Amino acid sequence: MKLKNGYLTVSAVKRHDDRRERYEGSMSRSFYVSGNVMQDSIHARYKDSILILDIPKKSPEEEKKCYVTIEG
């Protein structure tokens, strides 16, 4: 997996080499996950032949409050 510019790309390569047959294939998928992702906290695991991705987002920053003094 690779995360770049808000896109998470998942790539896989499959090779089969037998005495009678040879097969090689690859695939790649990209998903936009935004720039709000904590890259160091991404986890992937297989469960029942399914790839499960945990992609935590950064917590939203508190809005900065700007106050203007009104005279009068």
Side-chain angles (χ1 to χ4, degrees), residues 6 27 35 37 41 56 58 65:
M27 64 80 67
V37 174
S41 298
K58 295 177 184 175
K65 296 181 182 180

Side-chain angles (χ1 to χ4, degrees), residues 59-65:
S59 61
E61 296 179 7
E62 291 183 28
E63 292 183 32
K64 296 180 180 179
K65 296 181 182 180

Side-chain angles (χ1 to χ4, degrees), residues 10-16 23-28:
V10 180
S11 302
V13 175
K14 181 178 181 179
R15 291 186 180 111
H16 176 76
Y23 171 80
E24 185 172 324
S26 65
M27 64 80 67
S28 179

Side-chain angles (χ1 to χ4, degrees), residues 4-22:
K4 184 175 182 180
N5 296 329
Y7 286 89
L8 180 70
T9 303
V10 180
S11 302
V13 175
K14 181 178 181 179
R15 291 186 180 111
H16 176 76
D17 193 3
D18 195 337
R19 290 180 188 168
R20 295 179 229 145
E21 284 184 48
R22 279 194 171 168

